[in-house]
mmCIF file of all heavy atoms in Angstrom:
data_model
loop_
_atom_site.group_PDB
_atom_site.id
_atom_site.type_symbol
_atom_site.label_atom_id
_atom_site.label_comp_id
_atom_site.label_asym_id
_atom_site.label_seq_id
_atom_site.Cartn_x
_atom_site.Cartn_y
_atom_site.Cartn_z
ATOM 1 N N VAL X 45 37.835 -32.775 12.461
ATOM 2 C CA VAL X 45 36.413 -32.467 12.678
ATOM 3 C C VAL X 45 35.624 -33.750 12.512
ATOM 4 O O VAL X 45 35.845 -34.509 11.578
ATOM 5 C CB VAL X 45 35.918 -31.391 11.671
ATOM 6 C CG1 VAL X 45 34.414 -31.185 11.791
ATOM 7 C CG2 VAL X 45 36.669 -30.087 11.885
ATOM 8 N N LEU X 46 34.688 -33.980 13.445
ATOM 9 C CA LEU X 46 33.842 -35.172 13.410
ATOM 10 C C LEU X 46 32.385 -34.737 13.465
ATOM 11 O O LEU X 46 32.019 -33.882 14.278
ATOM 12 C CB LEU X 46 34.151 -36.067 14.620
ATOM 13 C CG LEU X 46 33.272 -37.294 14.823
ATOM 14 C CD1 LEU X 46 33.474 -38.302 13.686
ATOM 15 C CD2 LEU X 46 33.572 -37.936 16.171
ATOM 16 N N VAL X 47 31.576 -35.295 12.563
ATOM 17 C CA VAL X 47 30.123 -35.063 12.584
ATOM 18 C C VAL X 47 29.472 -36.429 12.716
ATOM 19 O O VAL X 47 29.777 -37.351 11.956
ATOM 20 C CB VAL X 47 29.642 -34.366 11.286
ATOM 21 C CG1 VAL X 47 28.136 -34.155 11.335
ATOM 22 C CG2 VAL X 47 30.371 -33.038 11.098
ATOM 23 N N ILE X 48 28.566 -36.539 13.699
ATOM 24 C CA ILE X 48 27.802 -37.764 13.884
ATOM 25 C C ILE X 48 26.330 -37.421 13.695
ATOM 26 O O ILE X 48 25.827 -36.471 14.292
ATOM 27 C CB ILE X 48 27.997 -38.368 15.279
ATOM 28 C CG1 ILE X 48 29.492 -38.557 15.577
ATOM 29 C CG2 ILE X 48 27.258 -39.706 15.394
ATOM 30 C CD1 ILE X 48 29.785 -38.965 17.002
ATOM 31 N N THR X 49 25.661 -38.182 12.832
ATOM 32 C CA THR X 49 24.224 -38.003 12.652
ATOM 33 C C THR X 49 23.530 -39.326 12.971
ATOM 34 O O THR X 49 24.051 -40.391 12.684
ATOM 35 C CB THR X 49 23.866 -37.572 11.218
ATOM 36 O OG1 THR X 49 24.419 -38.508 10.279
ATOM 37 C CG2 THR X 49 24.385 -36.178 10.912
ATOM 38 N N TRP X 50 22.358 -39.221 13.610
ATOM 39 C CA TRP X 50 21.549 -40.388 13.961
ATOM 40 C C TRP X 50 20.265 -40.351 13.140
ATOM 41 O O TRP X 50 19.638 -39.294 12.993
ATOM 42 C CB TRP X 50 21.171 -40.353 15.440
ATOM 43 C CG TRP X 50 22.264 -40.765 16.364
ATOM 44 C CD1 TRP X 50 22.470 -41.979 16.925
ATOM 45 C CD2 TRP X 50 23.324 -39.944 16.863
ATOM 46 N NE1 TRP X 50 23.585 -41.980 17.726
ATOM 47 C CE2 TRP X 50 24.120 -40.741 17.710
ATOM 48 C CE3 TRP X 50 23.676 -38.594 16.682
ATOM 49 C CZ2 TRP X 50 25.237 -40.251 18.375
ATOM 50 C CZ3 TRP X 50 24.786 -38.097 17.332
ATOM 51 C CH2 TRP X 50 25.555 -38.915 18.160
ATOM 52 N N TRP X 51 19.875 -41.527 12.647
ATOM 53 C CA TRP X 51 18.695 -41.662 11.802
ATOM 54 C C TRP X 51 17.852 -42.835 12.247
ATOM 55 O O TRP X 51 18.381 -43.866 12.652
ATOM 56 C CB TRP X 51 19.134 -41.901 10.345
ATOM 57 C CG TRP X 51 20.056 -40.864 9.836
ATOM 58 C CD1 TRP X 51 21.408 -40.837 9.938
ATOM 59 C CD2 TRP X 51 19.692 -39.668 9.170
ATOM 60 N NE1 TRP X 51 21.923 -39.710 9.370
ATOM 61 C CE2 TRP X 51 20.879 -38.957 8.879
ATOM 62 C CE3 TRP X 51 18.488 -39.109 8.765
ATOM 63 C CZ2 TRP X 51 20.894 -37.739 8.224
ATOM 64 C CZ3 TRP X 51 18.493 -37.896 8.109
ATOM 65 C CH2 TRP X 51 19.686 -37.223 7.847
ATOM 66 N N ASP X 52 16.543 -42.699 12.133
ATOM 67 C CA ASP X 52 15.653 -43.841 12.358
ATOM 68 C C ASP X 52 15.726 -44.725 11.129
ATOM 69 O O ASP X 52 15.582 -44.239 10.009
ATOM 70 C CB ASP X 52 14.211 -43.371 12.569
ATOM 71 C CG ASP X 52 13.992 -42.780 13.958
ATOM 72 O OD1 ASP X 52 14.701 -43.199 14.903
ATOM 73 O OD2 ASP X 52 13.115 -41.903 14.094
ATOM 74 N N GLY X 53 15.986 -45.996 11.335
ATOM 75 C CA GLY X 53 16.035 -46.929 10.222
ATOM 76 C C GLY X 53 17.043 -48.019 10.459
ATOM 77 O O GLY X 53 17.823 -47.970 11.418
ATOM 78 N N PRO X 54 17.068 -49.028 9.596
ATOM 79 C CA PRO X 54 18.015 -50.126 9.723
ATOM 80 C C PRO X 54 19.423 -49.696 9.329
ATOM 81 O O PRO X 54 19.632 -48.615 8.768
ATOM 82 C CB PRO X 54 17.462 -51.182 8.769
ATOM 83 C CG PRO X 54 16.753 -50.394 7.716
ATOM 84 C CD PRO X 54 16.169 -49.206 8.439
ATOM 85 N N TYR X 55 20.375 -50.575 9.576
ATOM 86 C CA TYR X 55 21.778 -50.308 9.281
ATOM 87 C C TYR X 55 22.002 -49.862 7.851
ATOM 88 O O TYR X 55 22.784 -48.942 7.589
ATOM 89 C CB TYR X 55 22.612 -51.582 9.552
ATOM 90 C CG TYR X 55 24.073 -51.410 9.300
ATOM 91 C CD1 TYR X 55 24.900 -50.847 10.261
ATOM 92 C CD2 TYR X 55 24.652 -51.801 8.096
ATOM 93 C CE1 TYR X 55 26.265 -50.665 10.020
ATOM 94 C CE2 TYR X 55 26.005 -51.638 7.851
ATOM 95 C CZ TYR X 55 26.793 -51.081 8.814
ATOM 96 O OH TYR X 55 28.133 -50.896 8.582
ATOM 97 N N ASP X 56 21.298 -50.470 6.917
ATOM 98 C CA ASP X 56 21.508 -50.139 5.499
ATOM 99 C C ASP X 56 20.502 -49.094 4.962
ATOM 100 O O ASP X 56 20.321 -48.979 3.755
ATOM 101 C CB ASP X 56 21.476 -51.397 4.649
ATOM 102 C CG ASP X 56 20.154 -52.156 4.771
ATOM 103 O OD1 ASP X 56 19.310 -51.796 5.620
ATOM 104 O OD2 ASP X 56 19.971 -53.127 4.014
ATOM 105 N N ALA X 57 19.899 -48.333 5.876
ATOM 106 C CA ALA X 57 18.932 -47.312 5.465
ATOM 107 C C ALA X 57 19.567 -46.310 4.490
ATOM 108 O O ALA X 57 20.757 -45.988 4.583
ATOM 109 C CB ALA X 57 18.400 -46.562 6.686
ATOM 110 N N ASP X 58 18.769 -45.847 3.560
ATOM 111 C CA ASP X 58 19.217 -44.834 2.608
ATOM 112 C C ASP X 58 19.041 -43.460 3.270
ATOM 113 O O ASP X 58 17.946 -42.914 3.312
ATOM 114 C CB ASP X 58 18.397 -44.922 1.324
ATOM 115 C CG ASP X 58 18.880 -43.953 0.260
ATOM 116 O OD1 ASP X 58 20.025 -43.474 0.358
ATOM 117 O OD2 ASP X 58 18.095 -43.680 -0.666
ATOM 118 N N VAL X 59 20.125 -42.952 3.833
ATOM 119 C CA VAL X 59 20.079 -41.664 4.535
ATOM 120 C C VAL X 59 21.146 -40.736 3.944
ATOM 121 O O VAL X 59 22.176 -41.206 3.443
ATOM 122 C CB VAL X 59 20.296 -41.835 6.055
ATOM 123 C CG1 VAL X 59 19.127 -42.602 6.675
ATOM 124 C CG2 VAL X 59 21.603 -42.523 6.364
ATOM 125 N N PRO X 60 20.896 -39.433 3.980
ATOM 126 C CA PRO X 60 21.873 -38.509 3.412
ATOM 127 C C PRO X 60 23.166 -38.445 4.221
ATOM 128 O O PRO X 60 23.146 -38.588 5.442
ATOM 129 C CB PRO X 60 21.143 -37.166 3.430
ATOM 130 C CG PRO X 60 20.002 -37.315 4.343
ATOM 131 C CD PRO X 60 19.710 -38.770 4.489
ATOM 132 N N GLU X 61 24.260 -38.258 3.520
ATOM 133 C CA GLU X 61 25.566 -38.135 4.164
ATOM 134 C C GLU X 61 26.193 -36.781 3.805
ATOM 135 O O GLU X 61 25.884 -36.221 2.760
ATOM 136 C CB GLU X 61 26.474 -39.271 3.710
ATOM 137 C CG GLU X 61 25.971 -40.630 4.113
ATOM 138 C CD GLU X 61 27.028 -41.716 3.932
ATOM 139 O OE1 GLU X 61 28.215 -41.417 4.115
ATOM 140 O OE2 GLU X 61 26.636 -42.838 3.624
ATOM 141 N N LEU X 62 27.064 -36.332 4.665
ATOM 142 C CA LEU X 62 27.787 -35.083 4.348
ATOM 143 C C LEU X 62 28.693 -35.313 3.139
ATOM 144 O O LEU X 62 29.288 -36.376 3.003
ATOM 145 C CB LEU X 62 28.645 -34.652 5.527
ATOM 146 C CG LEU X 62 27.925 -34.109 6.751
ATOM 147 C CD1 LEU X 62 28.927 -33.824 7.855
ATOM 148 C CD2 LEU X 62 27.149 -32.856 6.409
ATOM 149 N N PRO X 63 28.823 -34.307 2.305
ATOM 150 C CA PRO X 63 29.721 -34.429 1.148
ATOM 151 C C PRO X 63 31.174 -34.256 1.573
ATOM 152 O O PRO X 63 31.474 -33.971 2.728
ATOM 153 C CB PRO X 63 29.280 -33.263 0.255
ATOM 154 C CG PRO X 63 28.777 -32.236 1.216
ATOM 155 C CD PRO X 63 28.131 -33.027 2.335
ATOM 156 N N ASP X 64 32.068 -34.426 0.636
ATOM 157 C CA ASP X 64 33.479 -34.124 0.874
ATOM 158 C C ASP X 64 33.684 -32.612 0.737
ATOM 159 O O ASP X 64 33.109 -31.992 -0.159
ATOM 160 C CB ASP X 64 34.366 -34.808 -0.161
ATOM 161 C CG ASP X 64 34.456 -36.315 0.064
ATOM 162 O OD1 ASP X 64 33.983 -36.805 1.101
ATOM 163 O OD2 ASP X 64 35.011 -36.988 -0.819
ATOM 164 N N PRO X 65 34.517 -32.035 1.590
ATOM 165 C CA PRO X 65 34.873 -30.615 1.416
ATOM 166 C C PRO X 65 35.796 -30.460 0.198
ATOM 167 O O PRO X 65 36.279 -31.454 -0.359
ATOM 168 C CB PRO X 65 35.627 -30.267 2.696
ATOM 169 C CG PRO X 65 35.681 -31.478 3.521
ATOM 170 C CD PRO X 65 35.117 -32.624 2.765
ATOM 171 N N ALA X 66 36.065 -29.238 -0.159
ATOM 172 C CA ALA X 66 37.004 -28.971 -1.245
ATOM 173 C C ALA X 66 38.345 -29.617 -0.917
ATOM 174 O O ALA X 66 38.784 -29.630 0.237
ATOM 175 C CB ALA X 66 37.179 -27.465 -1.425
ATOM 176 N N LYS X 67 38.988 -30.155 -1.911
ATOM 177 C CA LYS X 67 40.250 -30.888 -1.708
ATOM 178 C C LYS X 67 41.366 -30.015 -1.111
ATOM 179 O O LYS X 67 42.222 -30.519 -0.402
ATOM 180 C CB LYS X 67 40.713 -31.505 -3.018
ATOM 181 C CG LYS X 67 39.751 -32.601 -3.495
ATOM 182 C CD LYS X 67 40.455 -33.616 -4.322
ATOM 183 C CE LYS X 67 39.516 -34.666 -4.874
ATOM 184 N NZ LYS X 67 38.823 -35.465 -3.914
ATOM 185 N N ASP X 68 41.310 -28.711 -1.351
ATOM 186 C CA ASP X 68 42.364 -27.840 -0.804
ATOM 187 C C ASP X 68 42.135 -27.527 0.679
ATOM 188 O O ASP X 68 42.968 -26.894 1.314
ATOM 189 C CB ASP X 68 42.475 -26.557 -1.624
ATOM 190 C CG ASP X 68 41.264 -25.665 -1.533
ATOM 191 O OD1 ASP X 68 40.156 -26.146 -1.200
ATOM 192 O OD2 ASP X 68 41.388 -24.460 -1.810
ATOM 193 N N LEU X 69 41.029 -27.990 1.255
ATOM 194 C CA LEU X 69 40.720 -27.762 2.663
ATOM 195 C C LEU X 69 41.099 -28.949 3.540
ATOM 196 O O LEU X 69 41.308 -28.799 4.734
ATOM 197 C CB LEU X 69 39.228 -27.452 2.824
ATOM 198 C CG LEU X 69 38.704 -27.095 4.197
ATOM 199 C CD1 LEU X 69 39.426 -25.893 4.789
ATOM 200 C CD2 LEU X 69 37.212 -26.818 4.144
ATOM 201 N N ILE X 70 41.237 -30.130 2.936
ATOM 202 C CA ILE X 70 41.500 -31.336 3.732
ATOM 203 C C ILE X 70 42.887 -31.931 3.446
ATOM 204 O O ILE X 70 43.401 -31.825 2.347
ATOM 205 C CB ILE X 70 40.405 -32.402 3.508
ATOM 206 C CG1 ILE X 70 40.209 -32.732 2.022
ATOM 207 C CG2 ILE X 70 39.102 -31.960 4.132
ATOM 208 C CD1 ILE X 70 39.219 -33.847 1.745
ATOM 209 N N ALA X 71 43.454 -32.523 4.503
ATOM 210 C CA ALA X 71 44.800 -33.073 4.419
ATOM 211 C C ALA X 71 44.813 -34.518 3.930
ATOM 212 O O ALA X 71 45.872 -35.041 3.562
ATOM 213 C CB ALA X 71 45.483 -32.982 5.771
ATOM 214 N N ARG X 72 43.673 -35.170 3.967
ATOM 215 C CA ARG X 72 43.552 -36.570 3.533
ATOM 216 C C ARG X 72 42.091 -36.826 3.208
ATOM 217 O O ARG X 72 41.230 -36.020 3.533
ATOM 218 C CB ARG X 72 44.059 -37.526 4.617
ATOM 219 C CG ARG X 72 43.287 -37.364 5.918
ATOM 220 C CD ARG X 72 43.482 -38.584 6.807
ATOM 221 N NE ARG X 72 43.045 -38.360 8.155
ATOM 222 C CZ ARG X 72 41.774 -38.253 8.540
ATOM 223 N NH1 ARG X 72 40.794 -38.289 7.665
ATOM 224 N NH2 ARG X 72 41.477 -38.081 9.808
ATOM 225 N N PRO X 73 41.777 -37.951 2.575
ATOM 226 C CA PRO X 73 40.373 -38.235 2.275
ATOM 227 C C PRO X 73 39.525 -38.313 3.545
ATOM 228 O O PRO X 73 40.019 -38.688 4.620
ATOM 229 C CB PRO X 73 40.430 -39.597 1.581
ATOM 230 C CG PRO X 73 41.803 -39.691 1.018
ATOM 231 C CD PRO X 73 42.682 -38.961 2.006
ATOM 232 N N VAL X 74 38.268 -37.969 3.421
ATOM 233 C CA VAL X 74 37.303 -38.045 4.517
ATOM 234 C C VAL X 74 37.122 -39.510 4.907
ATOM 235 O O VAL X 74 37.108 -40.400 4.057
ATOM 236 C CB VAL X 74 35.953 -37.450 4.062
ATOM 237 C CG1 VAL X 74 34.870 -37.716 5.085
ATOM 238 C CG2 VAL X 74 36.099 -35.950 3.815
ATOM 239 N N HIS X 75 36.995 -39.759 6.212
ATOM 240 C CA HIS X 75 36.686 -41.096 6.709
ATOM 241 C C HIS X 75 35.217 -41.151 7.073
ATOM 242 O O HIS X 75 34.687 -40.194 7.650
ATOM 243 C CB HIS X 75 37.535 -41.421 7.939
ATOM 244 C CG HIS X 75 38.976 -41.560 7.660
ATOM 245 N ND1 HIS X 75 39.910 -41.690 8.644
ATOM 246 C CD2 HIS X 75 39.671 -41.563 6.496
ATOM 247 C CE1 HIS X 75 41.118 -41.797 8.118
ATOM 248 N NE2 HIS X 75 41.000 -41.711 6.819
ATOM 249 N N ARG X 76 34.564 -42.261 6.756
ATOM 250 C CA ARG X 76 33.139 -42.440 7.057
ATOM 251 C C ARG X 76 32.946 -43.832 7.672
ATOM 252 O O ARG X 76 33.514 -44.791 7.211
ATOM 253 C CB ARG X 76 32.308 -42.335 5.776
ATOM 254 C CG ARG X 76 32.255 -40.961 5.194
ATOM 255 C CD ARG X 76 31.391 -40.983 3.918
ATOM 256 N NE ARG X 76 31.113 -39.641 3.459
ATOM 257 C CZ ARG X 76 31.900 -38.922 2.664
ATOM 258 N NH1 ARG X 76 33.009 -39.444 2.235
ATOM 259 N NH2 ARG X 76 31.553 -37.708 2.324
ATOM 260 N N TRP X 77 32.059 -43.866 8.691
ATOM 261 C CA TRP X 77 31.698 -45.122 9.298
ATOM 262 C C TRP X 77 30.200 -45.135 9.546
ATOM 263 O O TRP X 77 29.576 -44.091 9.727
ATOM 264 C CB TRP X 77 32.372 -45.304 10.664
ATOM 265 C CG TRP X 77 33.855 -45.276 10.633
ATOM 266 C CD1 TRP X 77 34.705 -46.310 10.386
ATOM 267 C CD2 TRP X 77 34.697 -44.135 10.842
ATOM 268 N NE1 TRP X 77 36.007 -45.889 10.445
ATOM 269 C CE2 TRP X 77 36.018 -44.555 10.720
ATOM 270 C CE3 TRP X 77 34.442 -42.792 11.122
ATOM 271 C CZ2 TRP X 77 37.107 -43.711 10.888
ATOM 272 C CZ3 TRP X 77 35.520 -41.946 11.288
ATOM 273 C CH2 TRP X 77 36.837 -42.401 11.159
ATOM 274 N N ARG X 78 29.620 -46.314 9.575
ATOM 275 C CA ARG X 78 28.194 -46.500 9.842
ATOM 276 C C ARG X 78 28.055 -47.514 10.965
ATOM 277 O O ARG X 78 28.718 -48.545 10.966
ATOM 278 C CB ARG X 78 27.503 -47.012 8.579
ATOM 279 C CG ARG X 78 26.002 -47.146 8.700
ATOM 280 C CD ARG X 78 25.389 -47.592 7.379
ATOM 281 N NE ARG X 78 25.341 -46.490 6.439
ATOM 282 C CZ ARG X 78 24.250 -46.060 5.855
ATOM 283 N NH1 ARG X 78 23.094 -46.671 6.054
ATOM 284 N NH2 ARG X 78 24.278 -45.041 5.017
ATOM 285 N N PHE X 79 27.211 -47.191 11.934
ATOM 286 C CA PHE X 79 26.972 -48.063 13.083
ATOM 287 C C PHE X 79 25.475 -48.185 13.330
ATOM 288 O O PHE X 79 24.726 -47.244 13.023
ATOM 289 C CB PHE X 79 27.591 -47.486 14.364
ATOM 290 C CG PHE X 79 29.092 -47.392 14.324
ATOM 291 C CD1 PHE X 79 29.710 -46.267 13.825
ATOM 292 C CD2 PHE X 79 29.868 -48.416 14.806
ATOM 293 C CE1 PHE X 79 31.095 -46.169 13.793
ATOM 294 C CE2 PHE X 79 31.244 -48.349 14.780
ATOM 295 C CZ PHE X 79 31.861 -47.207 14.273
ATOM 296 N N GLU X 80 25.045 -49.295 13.912
ATOM 297 C CA GLU X 80 23.659 -49.382 14.352
ATOM 298 C C GLU X 80 23.659 -49.363 15.871
ATOM 299 O O GLU X 80 24.539 -49.925 16.520
ATOM 300 C CB GLU X 80 22.956 -50.623 13.805
ATOM 301 C CG GLU X 80 23.465 -51.949 14.327
ATOM 302 C CD GLU X 80 22.719 -53.117 13.729
ATOM 303 O OE1 GLU X 80 21.517 -53.004 13.459
ATOM 304 O OE2 GLU X 80 23.351 -54.155 13.510
#
Side-chain angles (χ1 to χ4, degrees):
V45 173
L46 174 66
V47 179
I48 307 172
T49 54
W50 283 263
W51 305 88
D52 284 331
Y55 181 83
D56 59 352
D58 184 18
V59 294
E61 297 193 33
L62 289 176
D64 287 351
K67 294 208 183 297
D68 66 339
L69 183 57
I70 54 176
R72 59 162 167 71
V74 170
H75 293 172
R76 291 179 169 86
W77 301 273
R78 184 177 284 236
F79 296 89
E80 67 181 326

